[in-house]
Amino acid sequence: MKLLQRYILSQAFLPAVLALSALSLLALLTQSLQTLDLIVENQQSASTFFFITILALPQLIGIITPLAVFMAAIYALNRLTNDSELIVAKANGVSPWAIGTPILRLGVYASIFHLIMNLLVQPLALRQMRAEILTVKTDIASQMVQAGQFETPTPDFTVYTREIESDGELRDILIHDGRDPGAISTHIAQTGRLLRSDTSTSLILFNGSVQTPVADGSLDVIDFETYQLDLSNVAALDKVLRLKSSDKFLHELLRPDPRGYITPKSRKELAAEGHARLAAPLWNLALVLVALAFILRGQHSKLGNNRKIAICAVTGFILRLAGFAVASSAERDAGLNLVQYFIPIFVILACLWYLTSKRRWRPGGKRRLKRYRAAHDIANDGATT
């Protein structure tokens, strides 16, 4: 018995991993399109692009895991049925519950994995992703300087550089500073480098000159080897890291810090996210049991299980979409937070009852029974005549 159950588990585990990997890769490609615009606009490296994209993966895995396990359960059960392995097992006295236990165990493993991703890995990864995005958006070089273009980061302040080296060095720089009408100046330098600290930002220019107009219309030119230009006012970017509800840990969602700016609307959104993190892993068990209820129970057909599998797949996806809809609606109505738990738990209990009962639901069973009775009555009438 244990050997059979290990075999069934192996037939479902590998498809679950493959389905999760394929769906995650597809979702990651979709997510990367949003990151690509940010990276291109701010002139960041490919390593930054891949790092930010990978950090979004835990959240995507949390969304995809129940569907991947559901697809793997359907595939494994259908394959075992088509190869007549389940029929042989039942003929040798193996109960449907013993056959379904390995698939149910896979659902339990997926639920634990999903819970860990939701409560620990996702907030850690998304916090790091927000920090990386903030670093990209507040990168002074990308915000203020672009190679071969005249940039005006603030009124009356124009910057041009011919080339930006990979190490951040600027070449052939032209800066026109007209922020102070009484001290308009133009800076020209061969090279330059941005220096940043917690309190200030400055541009160090090398081998250049400063041209300042004088009252008689001429220019006062001063050559320099090193010149420091303060850019603290120009580079005054918002560097505050603001976390979304998806970036917070469970205790921050269910018990937000009262010292923060928490409105009644945001409190509902945080609570909905927290309950969704706890309720979502239940869908792994619920969808696995849906697959068992449809495929493991019921009459075997020599024509195949395509119709049964189609109904099972549609039912599972509709139930999961209902869960997403309730989680979204709970952001506006806190009373729906309990419904997030109720739907998957109800599905679990209903499927367990069906799997352990002797009743079987057969599509069109009543119609077949009526046709059988009519044929039986006709036969009896003919025999009597």
Side-chain angles (χ1 to χ4, degrees):
M1 181 71 70
K2 293 183 179 180
L3 181 61
L4 175 62
Q5 291 182 339
R6 286 199 297 269
Y7 172 73
I8 296 175
L9 180 60
S10 66
Q11 293 298 307
F13 181 77
L14 182 58
V17 174
L18 293 177
L20 180 61
S21 301
L23 293 175
S24 299
L25 180 60
L26 180 61
L28 198 61
L29 290 175
T30 304
Q31 176 69 25
S32 66
L33 296 178
Q34 302 176 1
T35 308
L36 184 61
D37 293 337
L38 175 67
I39 297 300
V40 171
E41 290 176 0
N42 293 276
Q43 297 181 334
Q44 299 297 313
S45 63
S47 60
T48 303
F49 166 73
F50 285 113
F51 185 54
I52 293 177
T53 303
I54 293 298
L55 288 175
L57 189 58
Q59 186 181 29
L60 300 175
I61 290 177
I63 297 174
I64 294 169
T65 298
L67 299 177
V69 175
F70 179 54
M71 295 167 60
I74 293 177
Y75 171 80
L77 291 171
N78 183 57
R79 180 180 178 182
L80 293 172
T81 301
N82 292 337
D83 293 343
S84 300
E85 292 174 322
L86 292 185
I87 299 174
V88 173
K90 292 179 181 179
N92 283 274
V94 181
S95 65
W97 182 254
I99 297 174
T101 299
I103 306 296
L104 187 61
R105 191 181 305 165
L106 176 64
V108 174
Y109 294 157
S111 298
I112 297 173
F113 170 75
H114 193 174
L115 189 64
I116 294 174
M117 295 295 292
N118 280 359
L119 300 185
L120 182 61
V121 181
Q122 174 183 325
L124 286 175
L126 291 186
R127 282 171 182 256
Q128 183 64 32
M129 186 183 74
R130 301 298 175 201
E132 290 295 324
I133 292 176
L134 181 65
T135 301
V136 170
K137 289 184 176 180
T138 56
D139 187 353
I140 303 302
S142 63
Q143 294 292 330
M144 189 181 66
V145 182
Q146 293 190 13
Q149 297 183 20
F150 288 90
E151 296 292 334
T152 306
T154 189
D156 299 321
F157 188 86
T158 303
V159 181
Y160 172 85
T161 182
R162 180 180 60 83
E163 185 180 1
I164 302 177
E165 300 290 343
S166 59
D167 60 354
E169 185 179 65
L170 310 179
R171 291 189 174 277
D172 297 335
I173 306 167
L174 171 65
I175 300 176
H176 178 74
D177 187 0
R179 292 172 293 172
D180 184 1
I184 298 176
S185 60
T186 300
H187 302 73
I188 300 175
Q190 294 181 5
T191 59
R193 186 174 295 273
L194 283 165
L195 295 181
R196 284 165 287 183
S197 65
D198 295 336
T199 58
S200 64
T201 301
S202 59
L203 177 62
I204 308 299
L205 302 176
F206 302 96
N207 301 322
S209 62
V210 180
Q211 302 176 7
T212 305
V214 294
D216 60 0
S218 61
L219 291 177
D220 183 13
V221 180
I222 302 176
D223 297 328
F224 61 81
E225 294 184 358
T226 303
Y227 186 90
Q228 182 173 348
L229 183 63
D230 186 15
L231 301 178
S232 299
N233 295 331
V234 178
L237 301 175
D238 186 5
K239 297 184 179 182
V240 178
L241 178 62
R242 293 179 174 84
L243 300 177
K244 297 182 179 180
S245 59
S246 57
D247 311 337
K248 297 185 177 182
F249 291 97
L250 184 63
H251 67 278
E252 297 174 323
L253 296 171
L254 300 181
R255 293 186 177 180
D257 189 354
R259 294 173 297 180
Y261 180 69
I262 303 297
T263 63
K265 180 181 179 181
S266 61
R267 188 178 296 274
K268 290 180 181 179
E269 293 176 353
L270 294 175
E273 174 68 20
H275 289 290
R277 299 261 191 98
L278 295 174
L282 295 173
W283 282 104
N284 296 278
L285 283 174
L287 295 181
V288 162
L289 286 169
V290 168
L292 291 174
F294 271 90
I295 301 176
L296 191 60
R297 293 292 303 271
Q299 186 178 12
H300 175 68
S301 176
K302 295 181 180 180
L303 300 177
N305 297 321
N306 294 336
R307 183 167 178 263
K308 187 189 299 184
I309 291 174
I311 297 175
C312 175
V314 172
T315 302
F317 281 108
I318 289 176
L319 289 173
R320 190 64 190 101
L321 289 177
F324 285 129
V326 171
S328 178
S329 300
E331 296 180 358
R332 298 181 297 273
D333 185 359
L336 293 176
N337 286 324
L338 291 179
V339 183
Q340 295 194 61
Y341 301 95
F342 174 78
I343 296 179
I345 290 176
F346 175 79
V347 173
I348 291 172
L349 295 178
C351 292
L352 287 175
W353 172 83
Y354 179 70
L355 287 170
T356 54
S357 67
K358 296 182 179 180
R359 298 182 179 182
R360 294 183 181 180
W361 177 76
R362 299 177 183 177
K366 292 183 178 180
R367 293 193 299 270
R368 288 196 298 269
L369 180 60
K370 289 181 179 180
R371 289 196 298 267
Y372 171 77
R373 288 178 177 177
H376 182 71
D377 292 342
I378 293 173
N380 288 338
D381 291 344
T384 303
T385 303

